[in-house]
Amino acid sequence: MEDKKQTPESSLEYLKEAEVGEWGPVVQPEATASACFMAGEPVETFVGRERNLEELHQIITGRGAGNVTYVTGTDGIGKTEFVCMYAKRYEAEYPAGIFWASMRGNTWLEEAPKIFAMLYPEVEITPFPDNAKAKDEICRQLNRKEALLVIDNVNEADEIIIPDCSVLVTTKERRVFGITSRMAIKELDRLSEDDGVKLLVKVLGKIRVTLDPSGTSRIVEIFGGIPLALDIAAHHLEAVPDLSLSDYIGQIQRKIEELKLKDREDKYVAVSLELSLKQLEGVPHGAECITLFEAAGVCAESGFTSLTLAETAGLDGIDRGVLEELHRRSLLKFDRKSLRYSMHPLLRQLSEARLRMDESRELLYKENCCMHFLHFSQAHSNSPEVLVSERDGLWQAMIQTCQTGRADELLPGFLECLVQPFRQLTAGNDYEGAFRYLMMIGLINVNNLWLVNYLDAILQILVKNQAALQKSSQACVFTSLGSVNIYLGECRKAIDFFEKALEIHRQIGDLQGEKSDLKNIGSACADLGDYRRAIGFYEKQLEITRRTGDLRGEGNVFNSIGIAYAELGEYHRAVGFYEEAQEMYNKIREPRGAGNALANMGIAYAKMGAQEKAHKCFGASNVIFHGLGLKHVSAKIEEMMRDAEYWLLRKGVYVHERLTENKRDVFKKLQPSNKNMRKI
């Protein structure tokens, strides 16, 4: 089963979904000889974990280079800060460098250039247009046995890469582990009572804590030893020196009852946050602090400036002390290198939840964010570097024009400004520079807003001047035009463009690009109902997948071939390929893929009339998805189990089409009309 995504909720999810070719940076000089250190400083309130740090080091060194070690735990447990402390403590153990990639609001497209910048500080790095290529290049560059790569805030298994160095992953999602050894997983416990008290002492001081030692211990107990909850609570108490610990404990207990959070996993942080915000209501600038906290929930997840936050909140300006107060209370994070703010993922979720209770305020903040970035794009339409620096925010704003129903009114203005540097570069005959700008600003993916005509017009300019482009860039343009025509339902035209890309990738020896093209052509043939031809391309894709050692890709191809045979009514052959897919997914410890293959197998058995085998496959698939916490998928599998006759009567319906909403249908719902769209 081919795994399709749920409705994208952020600009980065839109950018991540597009497959636009396979090419990457050209780096000639040797990497810098000095060790790179990319980990941040742990928070000042970090306490304890000494034994955990030692155990983690033993796990990593025991597993050796080329293996993944996982740090996991519930939201707010301090996974990122723990790994920051590990990096600081054991820096000398990794003479080849400690590298860091954050998947929080980012993909490898954003994170790979940061690693390359550390490796090659004097070299201008060509941007990556493709997430897969970015991952491949990082794997190649970090084949250094004495290096450590940290991949922080991982949500999906395919975000993990495994170069020949030690790899350390932080995640709260157990499905990311696959079928891995327990010895590879370090699960963080909640802080002990002693360590929790030490955290409170760091903020409140020894005198205040020793005045009520039992109250201090009780606060640690009530908040379950969750560091984030205790950190917020400590700074709340610091702001109210006259508040006794016993009175604060009473507030906690009443808030738990009021919010009915008894069974929620995030209850400790939620209560601590709500009490902090409630206290802010009664202080000068407190209402402004609350407004900014809520408005941050609609800003780009990867980070935002103080000006963006102020204008999103509808404020003329922000007193510096207000932002400092939010930062001091641990409600906002601040990166001194980029001078940008961000939120802890759990606090962002809680901010979004508060806004959902007041839809008019949520709408207002989103409209404010749209207008801020529209004005920003107008002011900097001749400054491509400035526009690129705010790419995530610009895309977030363009998505919000659709969410707020103002796409017809506002999107043309955005696109007019963002296309301006492209026009200027092509006017100066710098077509390669124009292409790179498209990649860096993300316009190559503008079809993800269903504005395929805009993208087609842009790409046709490059096609007419393809002789001025590098071969890899030409291939990327043809791949993008193929994707445009898939969106338009013009599958035959799409195949023509994919075949042109395939020819170029073969000329330049780009196996990854060739593999992607074969997959695209096979999928387009399947869309046309030409399943025999699709199978032929999938088989060629399989050959390259095996040559490149892409085991996950091999499982995906088996699944695609199985689906094609099922569409032809050859269910026995389909089952055979599903079994091969399942075996491959099990081999690489990828339970989600195995669950998909089992579900497809169940459908094939149902259509063969083998109901017992069908129910067995559905049941095994359901166990996997339920265990991964994918309740929406599990519900679909249960639907299949309840009514197998439904699946017998319905031809051509497969799990990859049923488990998530079709991406094109999603964008049709967001689609602006074309009546107000100006031609590029």
Side-chain angles (χ1 to χ4, degrees):
M1 181 188 73
E2 295 177 349
D3 188 23
K4 295 191 177 180
K5 292 201 174 286
Q6 298 278 355
T7 308
E9 292 290 345
S10 72
S11 58
L12 291 158
E13 287 188 22
Y14 279 95
L15 295 174
K16 186 176 179 180
E17 285 187 0
E19 292 184 3
V20 293
E22 302 280 355
W23 60 286
V26 178
V27 182
Q28 299 298 334
E30 292 294 322
T32 178
S34 60
C36 303
F37 185 81
M38 297 179 66
E41 280 289 322
V43 293
E44 294 179 0
T45 52
F46 186 93
V47 294
R49 306 282 195 201
E50 293 298 326
R51 184 176 177 182
N52 291 152
L53 289 166
E54 293 172 4
E55 290 172 347
L56 176 62
H57 189 59
Q58 290 173 4
I59 294 171
I60 294 174
T61 54
R63 290 179 63 74
N67 287 289
V68 181
T69 302
Y70 300 90
V71 172
T72 189
T74 188
D75 276 322
I77 202 71
K79 298 179 288 294
T80 298
E81 303 303 334
F82 174 70
V83 173
C84 284
M85 180 58 77
Y86 173 81
K88 182 178 181 179
R89 180 76 56 84
Y90 291 97
E91 179 180 1
E93 300 290 323
Y94 301 99
I98 294 179
F99 301 89
W100 193 283
S102 173
M103 297 295 109
R104 181 167 62 88
N106 293 315
T107 69
W108 282 102
L109 282 174
E110 291 80 38
E111 295 302 284
K114 297 174 186 176
I115 293 176
F116 271 87
M118 291 296 293
L119 289 169
Y120 307 101
E122 304 299 325
V123 177
E124 182 179 353
I125 306 298
T126 302
F128 293 96
D130 181 273
N131 202 49
K133 190 65 175 180
K135 293 193 289 186
D136 288 343
E137 289 294 337
I138 292 298
C139 278
R140 186 170 65 86
Q141 292 293 329
L142 293 189
N143 282 333
R144 305 163 174 226
K145 293 185 182 297
E146 294 183 319
L148 172 68
L149 171 63
V150 177
I151 312 176
D152 192 26
N153 283 295
V154 168
N155 287 311
E156 299 293 342
D158 64 3
E159 294 173 343
I160 298 173
I161 62 172
I162 312 177
D164 192 20
C165 67
S166 296
V167 180
L168 180 55
V169 168
T170 72
T171 181
K172 69 172 184 177
E173 303 294 348
R174 293 186 175 275
R175 65 174 180 268
V176 168
F177 302 154
I179 305 172
T180 193
S181 168
R182 281 183 169 273
M183 299 300 294
I185 302 168
K186 179 58 188 174
E187 183 156 8
L188 289 185
D189 296 324
R190 299 171 181 185
L191 293 179
S192 67
E193 180 182 321
D194 287 345
D195 285 339
V197 170
K198 287 177 184 177
L199 188 156
L200 294 175
V201 168
K202 276 199 169 188
V203 179
L204 300 177
K206 285 186 178 180
I207 295 176
R208 189 171 180 188
V209 168
T210 54
L211 287 174
D212 189 356
S214 61
T216 305
S217 298
R218 180 63 178 145
I219 289 173
V220 175
E221 178 187 355
I222 293 177
F223 281 134
I226 300 295
L228 180 58
L230 291 171
D231 197 16
I232 295 172
H235 287 101
H236 175 179
L237 288 164
E238 180 190 33
V240 193
D242 295 333
L243 178 61
S244 71
L245 299 188
S246 59
D247 286 344
Y248 183 64
I249 291 169
Q251 291 180 14
I252 297 171
Q253 293 169 333
R254 288 191 294 274
K255 185 60 70 173
I256 290 174
E257 289 297 322
E258 174 191 335
L259 298 178
K260 299 178 181 179
L261 300 175
K262 187 176 180 180
D263 297 324
R264 273 178 46 178
E265 190 175 282
D266 62 1
K267 63 183 176 182
Y268 305 114
V269 176
V271 169
S272 186
L273 170 66
E274 288 299 322
L275 288 175
S276 183
L277 295 177
K278 181 68 176 177
Q279 188 272 327
L280 279 170
E281 292 177 1
V283 303
H285 301 294
E288 192 174 344
C289 285
I290 296 171
T291 297
L292 291 169
F293 174 79
E294 292 177 342
V298 305
C299 294
E301 187 178 355
S302 59
F304 42 86
T305 65
S306 58
L307 179 60
T308 296
L309 181 57
E311 295 199 355
T312 298
L315 303 175
D316 293 332
I318 305 178
D319 184 286
R320 185 179 181 85
V322 174
L323 286 174
E324 289 177 352
E325 178 69 11
L326 287 170
H327 180 240
R328 186 177 63 81
R329 287 180 177 243
S330 300
L331 304 186
L332 283 183
K333 293 185 175 184
F334 181 67
D335 180 27
R336 289 182 174 83
K337 292 181 181 178
S338 65
L339 302 179
R340 300 170 79 82
Y341 291 88
S342 63
M343 301 181 81
H344 187 284
L346 178 54
L347 294 182
R348 183 181 179 89
Q349 292 172 22
L350 294 171
S351 172
E352 292 170 345
R354 286 173 65 92
L355 284 180
R356 284 195 293 271
M357 293 188 294
D358 187 344
E359 292 183 0
S360 62
R361 196 160 78 253
E362 181 183 20
L363 179 63
L364 174 63
Y365 289 156
K366 287 184 176 181
E367 288 183 337
N368 288 345
C369 189
C370 291
M371 296 310 300
H372 163 73
F373 278 107
L374 179 58
H375 295 151
F376 176 88
S377 64
Q378 291 168 341
H380 300 288
S381 61
N382 293 319
S383 304
E385 296 85 359
V386 177
L387 292 175
V388 169
S389 72
E390 286 289 353
R391 180 185 68 172
D392 295 344
L394 286 163
W395 270 86
Q396 185 84 358
M398 287 193 288
I399 294 166
Q400 288 167 349
T401 65
C402 299
Q403 294 172 341
T404 59
R406 300 187 67 184
D408 289 349
E409 174 190 356
L410 300 179
L411 265 183
F414 272 106
L415 294 172
E416 183 70 23
C417 295
L418 296 184
V419 169
Q420 184 63 23
F422 175 84
R423 288 197 183 114
Q424 293 171 344
L425 290 164
T426 54
N429 295 322
D430 184 3
Y431 295 102
E432 183 65 29
F435 170 76
R436 293 185 184 185
Y437 169 74
L438 288 184
M439 304 308 304
M440 294 173 71
I441 196 64
L443 280 173
I444 201 76
N445 303 320
V446 76
N447 57 322
N448 279 345
L449 286 175
W450 205 257
L451 301 175
V452 289
N453 292 330
Y454 271 76
L455 181 56
D456 183 67
I458 292 171
L459 295 176
Q460 289 298 340
I461 294 171
L462 296 177
V463 169
K464 291 177 182 177
N465 298 277
Q466 60 183 284
L469 296 176
Q470 295 178 8
K471 284 290 186 180
S472 57
S473 302
Q474 292 177 26
C476 184
V477 170
F478 287 129
T479 301
S480 297
L481 280 167
S483 298
V484 164
N485 281 278
I486 290 293
Y487 271 84
L488 293 172
E490 298 287 345
C491 292
R492 296 188 190 283
K493 289 184 179 179
I495 289 171
D496 290 340
F497 285 118
F498 290 141
E499 287 179 335
K500 289 179 181 178
L502 176 62
E503 182 181 353
I504 294 172
H505 282 136
R506 283 174 171 167
Q507 289 175 4
I508 63 178
D510 186 342
L511 284 177
Q512 295 290 346
E514 184 179 347
K515 180 175 66 174
S516 178
D517 297 332
L518 291 167
K519 171 189 173 184
N520 289 335
I521 297 170
S523 296
C525 290
D527 286 345
L528 288 170
D530 192 348
Y531 300 109
R532 296 285 181 198
R533 189 181 177 201
I535 290 168
F537 284 104
Y538 290 147
E539 288 174 341
K540 292 177 182 177
Q541 178 193 354
L542 182 61
E543 291 176 12
I544 297 176
T545 301
R546 285 171 167 164
R547 285 167 58 191
T548 56
D550 181 5
L551 300 182
R552 179 178 282 107
E554 197 170 333
N556 293 341
V557 179
F558 284 140
N559 217 17
S560 297
I561 295 174
I563 290 171
Y565 275 120
E567 290 284 6
L568 291 168
E570 299 180 29
Y571 300 117
H572 285 286
R573 298 192 72 175
V575 166
F577 281 101
Y578 293 146
E579 288 175 339
E580 289 197 69
Q582 182 197 3
E583 181 180 348
M584 185 59 63
Y585 290 131
N586 286 337
K587 183 177 181 180
I588 62 172
R589 300 171 180 173
E590 173 57 279
R592 187 167 185 170
N596 292 343
L598 281 164
N600 278 337
M601 212 183 303
I603 295 170
Y605 277 128
K607 294 196 175 206
M608 293 162 61
Q611 299 303 310
E612 185 176 342
K613 289 183 178 180
H615 278 267
K616 184 177 179 180
C617 289
F618 289 147
S621 177
N622 188 42
V623 168
I624 291 174
F625 286 120
H626 185 76
L628 293 174
L630 299 175
K631 295 180 181 178
H632 63 288
V633 181
S634 182
K636 293 293 183 184
I637 303 297
E638 289 174 0
E639 176 186 339
M640 299 178 201
M641 296 173 70
R642 285 193 302 268
D643 192 4
E645 290 300 316
Y646 171 82
W647 298 95
L648 281 169
L649 295 172
R650 184 162 180 173
K651 183 180 185 299
V653 179
Y654 292 90
V655 180
H656 74 288
E657 296 172 357
R658 293 281 297 173
L659 295 184
T660 61
E661 194 169 8
N662 184 280
K663 185 173 71 173
R664 277 178 271 181
D665 292 340
V666 169
F667 290 113
K668 282 180 181 178
K669 294 176 182 177
L670 298 177
Q671 175 185 1
S673 68
N674 293 320
K675 61 182 179 182
N676 295 326
M677 295 295 171
R678 298 190 291 274
K679 291 184 178 179
I680 295 175

